Amino acid sequence: MNITRRVLGKVALGLAGATMLMQFPALAADKPAPFDKPGVKIALVRYLSTGDFFQAYLSGVEAQSKALGIDLRVLDSRQDAALQSDMVDQAIALGVQGIIIQHGLTESMKDAAQRAVDAGIKVVAFDVNVENPKIPQIEQSDKDLARLALEQAVKDNGGSWNAGYVYVAGIAPLDRRNETWVDVKKKYAGIKEVAMFGTLDNPIANSVANQARSVLSAHPDIKVMFAPYDEFAKGVKIAVDEAGLNKGIKIYSADISTSDISAMREPDSAWAATAATNPAVVGQVSVRALAQLLAGEDPGHNVVVPPTLITQKELVDKDIKNMEDLSAKLPQFAHADVAMPAWMPNPNAK
């Protein structure tokens, strides 16, 4: 047989085609069902959405969903508990395969989450306790967030000071942070809580600032403000700055954003430290845990993202000006190896 160059070319093309055909099933098998085919649909049902943290969280949910080829629907109740419960039913009606419940009140979301489970839908919950053993709880290790911030407060100010405390009961992450605050007050008898206040009325920072003005006027002896949510800390800082007390009061918080970094870096800023996870990473972990459930895997009941302490001094010394700098200069902040099986795509991979 006379094998010409044209015949060789055809054989090569045929072999290449066969190889490609063999490769495609292998590529499809890289991800387990149902992610081996497009069209997986999930919903994010939100209670809180105001502020940089929640925008970054949403960006993380979107990035991980895109990496997995997920059709994401976002339902935002804007702190309306009854509406958030109804939105779970809306998500069920949309035919989603999975739901992320983001924040909310236990009393309104417990039954709603069970309705989704009864409908055969996989559910995970971030920072809301739905009291259901079938639903993984995504957490920021809230007790550690509070512990890191308060340890820094004691390091900076000693174990004896008068404190203002910003707190709203009934919100799972704030309740968990409050447990640490209670423990710290027991450990250090010299720490006196002279005022407790707080609100989630929108805009949260401005509403808290209104309260903080009255608190500072009534309690000029406050030396430390513990505001374990960055929107709370922003509000306290507004009031402290207006009262000209920025050199006499230190603020300790939880959570972080680019605007928070800017506020902490201001000359003579009262905002001394915060403990935080990367909210975008927490959003990614929420989707990954849900994806594991959909793939028949068990991410565990408590899926915990570890926090990082971030001080004002560190931001200045390392010239960290935004979230991108923070991720680049504090690598532990950029990615959490949580709910990350071998088949899971990493949206942060370069």
Side-chain angles (χ1 to χ4, degrees):
M1 179 179 179
N2 184 20
I3 301 178
T4 65
R5 186 172 293 178
R6 177 180 290 182
V7 171
L8 281 171
K10 288 181 177 179
V11 170
L13 285 171
L15 287 171
T19 302
M20 288 172 69
L21 287 171
M22 288 188 290
Q23 284 177 342
F24 280 125
L27 287 171
D30 285 346
K31 295 177 187 175
F35 299 102
D36 53 345
K37 296 177 182 178
V40 175
K41 187 188 299 183
I42 71 170
L44 170 64
V45 180
R46 313 178 83 192
Y47 180 73
L48 290 166
S49 57
T50 300
D52 297 332
F53 180 94
F54 299 105
Q55 291 304 310
Y57 176 85
L58 176 60
S59 73
V61 169
E62 292 171 336
Q64 189 68 65
S65 296
K66 182 178 179 181
L68 281 163
I70 286 173
D71 178 2
L72 171 68
R73 309 296 174 91
V74 179
L75 305 175
D76 190 351
S77 71
R78 297 186 182 277
Q79 295 156 253
D80 184 326
L83 179 58
Q84 188 187 23
S85 177
D86 290 343
M87 283 179 166
V88 171
D89 296 317
Q90 292 176 33
I92 295 170
L94 285 171
V96 301
Q97 291 150 277
I99 296 174
I100 301 168
I101 298 174
Q102 181 231 296
H103 291 86
L105 307 180
T106 298
E107 57 266 30
S108 58
M109 296 313 295
K110 181 179 177 180
D111 291 341
Q114 184 61 53
R115 290 196 297 272
V117 171
D118 291 342
I121 295 169
K122 301 299 183 184
V123 180
V124 300
F126 168 50
D127 270 356
V128 53
N129 183 9
V130 293
E131 298 179 351
N132 194 316
K134 294 183 179 179
I135 296 178
Q137 297 284 145
I138 316 299
E139 300 176 12
Q140 300 183 75
S141 186
D142 290 288
K143 290 185 178 182
D144 284 338
L145 281 168
R147 177 184 58 78
L148 288 171
L150 288 169
E151 284 177 351
Q152 187 64 37
V154 170
K155 181 179 178 181
D156 291 345
N157 304 280
S160 181
W161 28 269
N162 290 341
Y165 176 44
V166 192
Y167 175 51
V168 175
I171 302 298
L174 298 180
D175 289 343
R176 289 191 289 264
R177 296 169 195 185
N178 181 64
E179 291 174 17
T180 301
W181 174 236
V182 170
D183 290 343
V184 167
K185 287 187 295 180
K186 289 179 181 177
K187 182 177 179 180
Y188 297 97
I191 296 176
K192 305 294 184 184
E193 179 188 301
V194 298
M196 179 195 292
F197 60 101
T199 178
L200 289 172
D201 291 346
N202 284 322
I204 295 171
N206 291 342
S207 297
V208 168
N210 290 336
Q211 294 180 330
R213 291 183 185 99
S214 298
V215 168
L216 291 171
S217 177
H219 301 279
D221 55 344
I222 287 176
K223 297 300 180 186
V224 168
M225 281 284 196
F226 181 44
Y229 167 33
D230 62 341
E231 292 299 308
F232 290 170
K234 288 178 184 177
V236 170
K237 184 177 181 300
I238 290 170
V240 167
D241 287 348
E242 287 178 353
L245 298 172
N246 52 300
K247 291 184 179 181
I249 292 177
K250 290 187 182 296
I251 301 167
Y252 298 86
S253 71
D255 308 324
I256 192 74
S257 69
T258 292
S259 63
D260 297 345
I261 292 169
S262 178
M264 291 176 71
R265 282 172 52 96
E266 288 176 7
D268 297 321
S269 173
W271 197 339
T274 191
T277 55
N278 186 331
V281 170
V282 179
Q284 293 170 14
V285 169
S286 300
V287 176
R288 294 204 294 264
L290 182 59
Q292 283 192 273
L293 285 182
L294 289 169
E297 299 177 0
D298 181 11
H301 184 67
N302 294 94
V303 182
V304 180
V305 182
T308 301
L309 176 70
I310 302 158
T311 66
Q312 180 187 81
K313 184 177 187 304
E314 189 171 34
L315 294 176
V316 173
D317 289 350
K318 295 185 177 181
D319 196 28
I320 295 171
K321 298 178 181 176
N322 51 47
M323 294 293 280
E324 290 74 20
D325 289 346
L326 194 62
S327 294
K329 297 179 181 182
L330 295 180
Q332 70 271 27
F333 189 78
H335 173 72
D337 194 21
V338 177
M340 197 74 191
W343 59 267
M344 188 71 67
N346 181 359
N348 305 313
K350 299 296 184 182

